Amino acid sequence: MRFDRRTAERGVALLACAELLTVAGTFGPLGLAVCSVALLALPLRRRFPLSTLAATLPATVTEYLWLPAMLAMFVVACRASHRVIAGCGALLFVAALVPWPPAALLDHSRPEVLTMIEGAGLLSLGPIVLGRLLATRDELKDRLADLAASQDRERRLEAQRAVARERSRLARDMHDTVSHHVGIIAVQSGVLSATESDAERRADIEVVREHSVRALEELRDMVGVLRGADPAAAAAAGRTRLTDLHGLTAESLLDVSVHIAVAPGSGWDPALEACAFRVVQEALNNVRKHAPGAPVQVSVLAPEGERALVVEVSNGPPTADRSAPALPAGGHGLAGLHERVALVGGSVTARPTADGGFSVRAVLPR
């Protein structure tokens, strides 16, 4: 059971009030005055501990009440400095030792005086020891809390360092592997474009070269983001805008019809526009993989009365005379799409259509 200091203090305060019963038959004007002051001062012990102790000492000197001064001394021991505690303890010791009236001290024998000294010492030292014990416990609890918080911060920092190391490793691997293969494609396509005499084939080769060069540029940007050392690359990584969709669909090698109904100057967040671009890009990529030759409809709308951007890409079934190319598919495209849309607070649905096609619809809040 957890120790509740406030409840214990209230219990002692009630006992101090009950202590009046032990001196009920000896009350005079002096007793009434000192007891009243001592008991009325107890509720102020937390706000004014030193004043409360001073108000309760007369009741101890006159030997009417002992508990109010002990409770006040306990609060002082919990909060004050060692010097203040020593001075207050000495005052309480003297108040408990000297009888009332003080001249009565001469009538006591030596053993009685020693007993009085022992009692006064216990009365003054008991609250001090208990108060310092609880103060030390509270200090230890605070230090343990600080230690736990420090360890938690250290764990978070270590996790961040581990993530940074992993991002650097991924950046190195991505740069070393992907840029190697894409670089070869760019160089070879450039050579073929320069030596090809057929204009139509040269145009197709030029498209391959342009896409490989663009892939290298985006790879450079993403590597900069992963390394976290290139703010310009981080900004460039999200450079795709809604105005780039026409170029994306034109170069997709698909039968695409595009309908973009977004008011000019609508001030969309660049991250939102980049997300919309990636939704369309991933959907077109899936059409190339799974439904070659199928007609595709791309629409980007900003419905009236809604602060949202609605992006929808739908395609029909693949044509019968064309089979899906053997492109690598890791199964992470739609999952990554859901994650990307969730980062901007949107939602996405992807489902087959009744005619055998597929539809991807994303709602991106503004």
Side-chain angles (χ1 to χ4, degrees):
M1 179 178 180
R2 189 173 63 88
F3 176 77
D4 190 342
R5 182 187 302 176
R6 290 183 178 272
T7 302
E9 287 185 23
R10 293 190 186 101
V12 175
L14 290 176
L15 288 177
C17 295
E19 192 180 7
L20 286 173
L21 299 176
T22 63
V23 293
T26 61
F27 262 171
L30 178 62
L32 180 61
V34 296
C35 291
S36 299
V37 171
L39 294 178
L40 290 175
L42 283 182
L44 303 176
R45 63 188 180 277
R46 289 188 167 273
R47 182 173 297 182
F48 307 108
L50 295 178
S51 299
T52 302
L53 179 62
T56 57
L57 285 177
T60 302
V61 173
T62 57
E63 301 180 358
Y64 281 103
L65 297 177
W66 302 86
L67 288 177
M70 296 177 68
L71 180 57
M73 187 68 244
F74 166 78
V75 176
V76 171
C78 288
R79 300 185 173 191
S81 64
H82 293 288
R83 181 177 298 179
V84 172
I85 293 172
C88 292
L91 287 176
L92 181 57
F93 174 79
V94 172
L97 175 63
V98 178
W100 185 261
L105 183 63
L106 301 176
D107 299 333
H108 291 81
S109 63
R110 182 177 178 182
E112 291 175 338
V113 171
L114 293 177
T115 302
M116 292 169 59
I117 293 175
E118 182 180 359
L122 292 175
L123 186 145
S124 56
L125 287 178
I128 293 176
V129 171
L130 183 59
R132 294 313 305 161
L133 178 63
L134 293 182
T136 303
R137 189 201 68 165
D138 291 341
E139 183 180 354
L140 179 60
K141 184 190 298 183
D142 292 339
R143 291 188 178 181
L144 288 176
D146 292 341
L147 179 61
S150 176
Q151 290 176 340
D152 184 60
R153 287 193 297 270
E154 184 62 30
R155 283 193 295 267
R156 290 199 301 270
L157 289 175
E158 181 58 32
Q160 292 173 0
R161 288 192 288 267
V163 170
R165 289 193 296 268
E166 183 64 15
R167 290 175 64 175
S168 297
R169 186 189 66 80
L170 289 173
R172 290 193 301 270
D173 292 346
M174 183 182 297
H175 180 271
D176 294 342
T177 58
V178 180
S179 63
H180 170 73
H181 297 294
V182 179
I184 290 177
I185 295 173
V187 172
Q188 291 293 87
S189 59
V191 173
L192 288 176
S193 177
T195 59
E196 179 59 51
S197 58
D198 185 87
E200 184 175 351
R201 294 182 62 184
R202 187 167 56 249
D204 292 339
I205 294 173
E206 186 64 21
V207 169
V208 174
R209 189 191 68 81
E210 290 178 358
H211 278 278
S212 59
V213 171
R214 191 177 306 168
L216 284 174
E217 291 176 351
E218 294 195 8
L219 175 64
R220 178 198 61 200
D221 295 339
M222 287 185 287
V223 168
V225 173
L226 286 174
R227 287 186 178 276
D230 190 353
R239 64 190 172 195
T240 50
R241 310 298 293 266
L242 293 177
T243 53
D244 299 324
L245 285 177
H246 289 288
L248 174 67
T249 55
E251 298 171 354
S252 64
L253 303 179
L254 296 170
D255 179 14
V256 185
S257 61
V258 183
H259 176 58
I260 300 178
V262 178
S266 52
W268 297 101
D269 184 357
L272 204 66
E273 294 193 42
C275 182
F277 181 92
R278 297 304 181 188
V279 169
V280 176
Q281 186 180 52
E282 178 60 28
L284 295 180
N285 188 41
N286 286 336
V287 173
R288 276 193 297 270
K289 291 180 180 179
H290 307 294
V296 185
Q297 295 81 38
V298 176
S299 67
V300 181
L301 309 174
E304 290 288 341
E306 296 185 21
R307 295 183 60 81
L309 193 67
V310 179
V311 181
E312 187 168 2
V313 181
S314 58
N315 63 272
T319 57
D321 58 340
R322 297 185 64 177
S323 58
L327 296 176
H332 304 296
L334 289 179
L337 201 59
H338 282 275
E339 295 171 357
R340 182 186 295 274
V341 171
L343 286 176
V344 296
S347 61
V348 61
T349 56
R351 60 178 183 273
T353 59
D355 61 355
F358 202 79
S359 173
V360 175
R361 187 176 189 272
V363 179
L364 311 176
R366 187 173 182 175

